[in-house]
């Protein structure tokens, strides 16, 4: 992790003369200590979600991941305020990994088109400047900006195309109902075996924190499993842990490893061949759900039921916790056949999102 942010903190350095926004409107950083700012950003994000997919799922905790002081070593934010100080647009960038910068782009839905277009242009100008800043700090020649859009959001598509972005991937956001009786789908979600594969939660050390060796196994498995996947970028162990712990749904007891019995590494430990990282999806209207943030299997162990065993484990765990669903995201063009596995186990697509990229020359 960097000691200091690689981003430019002063929006005036990147957007010195914002054009098109009304007189009296300003471009500045939001104040994470001001609850009204956080509430307003939450309202903007929820309206963006309702328009794009039909309902809102984000809350205050999701906004705080982007704007709070704890995340500012790897993130930076900008807002456009009207003459009364009300936030009308919001941009957030995340220094995710070498060569990959994530970008959140949200503009109020009720603005007149001309004003909304101008706010969007300000956010893009700022994001391109941040890409150059973080790319230069990492010593890169080209910095990728990676942003997303809902498949049916025509306004966002128009802005992205106009700003030089290309739609590069489609993702199916899937969910599967969980029946209480599925608590018996595996003998014990904490630790069970099948056909020479052991599935277990990451161990806890004496201080209650997860075992460092297990966490490094999780990281190593996922790095190897995803190295040939779309837009995979190498992520250090520290970057990986910092990012996952920021997730509002993060829980250590939702992380599992799969090991081959009898296959020992150089330290005499069973070799980890699969990993699943789950989170909790909290709901104010009903039972919570579980979510598969990551699932990966080393190539040498594929075809042995490892992925299916991990998925059955999180389903049984969700049932034991009284949850009613498990969600996940799948690459519509995945080369591993993951979509077929998920469908066979009961997952169905609820909505579709897209990845849009732009490469920025750092110099």
């Amino acid at each position: 992790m960097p000691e200091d942010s690689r981003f430019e903190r002063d929006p005036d350095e990147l957007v010195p003369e914002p054009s098109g926004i009304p007189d009296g409107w300003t471009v500045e950083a939001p104040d994470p200590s001001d609850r009204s700012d956080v509430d307003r950003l939450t309202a903007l994000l929820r309206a963006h979600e309702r328009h794009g997919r039909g309902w809102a799922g984000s809350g205050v905790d999701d906004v705080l991941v982007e704007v709070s002081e704890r995340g500012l070593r790897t993130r930076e934010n900008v807002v456009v305020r009207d003459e009364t100080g009300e936030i009308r647009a919001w941009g957030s960038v995340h220094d995710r990994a070498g060569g990959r910068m994530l970008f959140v782009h949200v503009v109020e839905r009720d603005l007149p088109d001309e004003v909304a277009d101008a706010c969007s242009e300000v956010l893009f100008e700022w994001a391109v400047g941040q890409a150059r800043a973080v790319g230069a700090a990492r010593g890169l020649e080209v910095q990728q900006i990676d942003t997303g859009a809902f498949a049916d959001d025509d306004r966002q598509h128009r802005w992205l195309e106009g700003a030089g972005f290309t739609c590069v991937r489609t993702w199916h956001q899937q969910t599967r109902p969980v029946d209480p009786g599925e608590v018996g789908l595996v003998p014990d979600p904490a630790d069970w075996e099948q056909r020479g594969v052991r599935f277990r939660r990451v161990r806890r050390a004496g201080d209650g924190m997860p075992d460092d060796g297990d966490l490094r196994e999780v990281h190593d498995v996922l790095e190897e499993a995803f190295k040939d996947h779309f837009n995979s970028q190498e992520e250090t162990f520290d970057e990986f842990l910092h990012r996952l712990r920021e997730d509002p749904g993060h829980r250590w007891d939702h992380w599992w490893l799969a090991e081959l019995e009898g296959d020992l590494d150089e330290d005499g430990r069973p070799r980890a061949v699969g990993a699943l990282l789950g989170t909790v999806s909290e709901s104010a209207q009903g039972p919570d759900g579980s979510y598969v943030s990551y699932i990966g299997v080393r190539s040498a162990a594929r075809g042995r039921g490892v992925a299916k065993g991990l998925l059955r484990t999180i389903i049984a765990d969700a049932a034991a916790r009284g949850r009613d669903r498990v969600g996940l995201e799948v690459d519509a063009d995945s080369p591993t056949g993951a979509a077929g596995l998920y469908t066979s186990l009961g997952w169905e697509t609820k909505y579709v999102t897209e990845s849009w990229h732009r490469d920025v020359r750092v110099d």
Side-chain angles (χ1 to χ4, degrees), residues 275-298:
L276 187 151
L277 275 58
T279 59
V280 57
S281 300
E282 296 183 340
S283 174
Q285 287 75 42
D288 293 339
S290 293
Y291 187 82
V292 180
S293 293
Y294 289 95
I295 179 171
V297 179
R298 294 186 191 272

Side-chain angles (χ1 to χ4, degrees), residues 6-83:
R6 299 183 177 100
F7 291 117
E8 170 57 56
R9 290 294 178 88
D10 185 358
D12 289 339
E13 292 293 324
L14 304 180
V15 193
E17 297 180 3
S19 61
I21 61 175
D23 291 342
W25 287 39
T26 59
V27 180
E28 58 190 68
D31 182 358
S33 66
D34 185 337
R35 184 56 189 243
S36 63
D37 269 15
V38 174
D39 288 345
R40 176 59 180 162
L41 294 176
T42 305
L44 283 175
L45 182 57
R46 289 176 62 82
H48 177 76
E49 292 174 334
R50 279 194 295 271
H51 181 90
R53 68 181 179 195
W55 80 95
S58 294
V60 169
D61 287 343
D62 299 284
V63 170
L64 288 174
V65 167
E66 302 294 332
V67 303
S68 71
E69 291 293 335
R70 70 187 180 192
L72 291 185
R73 282 196 296 171
T74 58
R75 287 177 165 84
E76 191 58 55
N77 292 265
V78 72
V79 296
V80 180
R81 297 184 190 268
D82 66 16
E83 69 279 2

Side-chain angles (χ1 to χ4, degrees), residues 79-100:
V79 296
V80 180
R81 297 184 190 268
D82 66 16
E83 69 279 2
T84 71
E86 183 87 331
I87 297 174
R88 300 294 186 172
W90 170 34
S92 178
V93 287
H94 177 193
D95 182 11
R96 165 68 184 272
R100 186 181 182 196

Side-chain angles (χ1 to χ4, degrees), residues 106-125:
V106 180
V107 178
E108 183 180 323
R109 287 285 164 183
D110 296 330
L111 290 177
D113 287 346
E114 182 177 342
V115 177
D117 289 350
C119 289
S120 175
E121 289 176 9
V122 167
L123 298 184
F124 283 125
E125 182 179 354

Side-chain angles (χ1 to χ4, degrees), residues 185-203 214 253 255-261 270-276 295-298 301 303-317 341 345:
L185 199 58
V186 304
D188 182 356
D191 196 336
W192 67 286
E193 294 182 32
Q194 182 181 52
R195 294 184 299 180
V197 182
R198 180 185 180 189
F199 303 90
R200 64 172 179 83
R201 287 197 180 102
V202 297
R203 298 185 182 93
D214 274 6
D253 61 357
W255 289 35
W256 285 271
L257 280 168
E259 300 169 331
L260 286 182
E261 292 294 320
R271 192 176 306 278
V273 296
L276 187 151
I295 179 171
V297 179
R298 294 186 191 272
R304 300 191 58 165
V306 177
K308 182 178 289 187
L310 288 167
L311 291 168
R312 289 164 63 91
T313 300
I314 196 173
I315 294 168
D317 179 78
L341 172 61
L345 291 176

Side-chain angles (χ1 to χ4, degrees), residues 187-250:
D188 182 356
D191 196 336
W192 67 286
E193 294 182 32
Q194 182 181 52
R195 294 184 299 180
V197 182
R198 180 185 180 189
F199 303 90
R200 64 172 179 83
R201 287 197 180 102
V202 297
R203 298 185 182 93
R204 295 297 184 96
D207 59 1
M209 294 298 292
D211 177 74
D212 184 73
D214 274 6
L215 295 184
R216 291 184 182 276
E217 288 276 24
V218 168
H219 175 253
D220 290 347
V221 166
L222 295 179
E223 282 290 307
E224 179 180 328
F226 285 96
K227 66 181 179 181
D228 296 326
H229 282 221
F230 167 74
N231 203 38
S232 177
Q233 303 281 354
E234 184 176 348
E235 188 175 26
T236 70
F237 178 66
D238 288 340
E239 287 175 329
F240 169 77
L241 279 191
H242 179 79
R243 179 173 58 83
L244 271 296
R245 291 179 69 176
E246 284 185 312
D247 189 319
H250 165 70

